[in-house]
Amino acid sequence: MSRKRTATGKKKIAWLVAGVGIVGGGFAVTTGSGFASQPGVQAAAPQAAAEAQGKVERRFTASVVSGVQIYACTKQADNTFAFTQRGVRATLQGGIKHSFVNPDSGPPQWIARDGSAVTGKVASKTPHGAGNIPELELTATQSGKSTGKLSEVVKIRRLNTSGGVAPAGACDPAKTPTTEVRYGADYEFISLCKRTPAPSTPARL
């Protein structure tokens, strides 16, 4: 009796182990096929990677070699006169010219020697100490040749500013209609450039 029961018990244990193996295998297959049946989950990562690799950000900095902020003595709302921004005239490293497109109204522009150019619209201002004009971040719009140093610039930052602040107090337009104040700054030009694709391997015939 004891031998038969022992043999029977061993058979039951063997079937239970086999059953667990089948169930465990079932879960493994179900789990794997479950993820594989969701193409959106797998496709999202390659798609995001492709978009991210479509363009590459490039930057270069050009400091002011010589530059002035230009102010005009203008009538204010309270009928007094004070200096307000009229324009800017600066030469940056690399021969980039910086000015206003239209005096008094702008917008600011940067023109490279190769004919590429951009205009800027102020997105944010950050104070940079008493006596210094603020640091700026500007969005750039193309206004020159489609190729060249500035042809793919999308953003400009005016950093490390020194001087350039308008004279304080009242002014007399008959005596001093305009004034120029020397300033310094570093201009960071940020471009989004198309990534050059790697050369493809020619197909073998």
Side-chain angles (χ1 to χ4, degrees):
M1 291 290 291
S2 59
R3 290 181 179 177
K4 289 182 180 180
R5 288 179 181 175
T6 302
T8 303
K10 288 182 179 180
K11 288 180 180 180
K12 288 182 178 181
I13 292 171
W15 279 108
L16 285 172
V17 171
V20 172
I22 293 169
V23 174
F27 273 111
V29 172
T30 302
T31 303
S33 62
F35 278 103
S37 64
Q38 300 178 33
V41 174
Q42 292 184 343
Q47 183 177 351
E51 292 176 356
Q53 293 176 3
K55 290 190 176 182
V56 60
E57 185 178 278
R58 293 176 182 169
R59 305 178 181 215
F60 73 90
T61 300
S63 300
V64 172
V65 176
S66 63
V68 292
Q69 296 287 318
I70 305 170
Y71 298 97
C73 185
T74 58
K75 193 173 184 178
Q76 307 299 301
D78 60 359
N79 292 322
T80 62
F81 287 85
F83 286 110
T84 56
Q85 183 85 50
R86 177 175 173 78
V88 60
R89 185 176 66 253
T91 300
L92 313 185
Q93 291 172 326
I96 298 172
K97 299 295 184 181
H98 178 32
S99 62
F100 272 19
V101 174
N102 300 300
D104 298 319
S105 60
Q109 65 179 349
W110 294 260
I111 304 174
R113 287 174 175 170
D114 56 21
S116 59
V118 290
T119 60
K121 182 179 180 180
V122 176
S124 65
K125 294 183 179 182
T126 304
H128 195 242
N132 302 323
I133 54 176
E135 295 184 325
L136 300 177
E137 183 167 306
L138 309 97
T139 54
T141 300
Q142 293 296 313
S143 59
K145 289 185 177 180
S146 59
T147 59
K149 194 174 186 67
L150 303 178
S151 63
E152 294 179 293
V153 170
V154 296
K155 187 182 295 184
I156 302 166
R157 291 191 177 116
R158 185 175 74 183
L159 306 171
N160 305 318
T161 53
S162 60
V165 175
C171 60
D172 185 345
K175 294 180 178 179
T176 313
T178 62
T179 188
E180 299 179 353
V181 183
R182 293 177 63 85
Y183 86 105
D186 297 325
Y187 288 89
E188 182 181 50
F189 296 90
I190 302 169
S191 301
L192 283 180
C193 308
K194 291 181 180 179
R195 187 183 295 275
T196 304
S200 57
T201 305
R204 295 182 179 180
L205 300 177

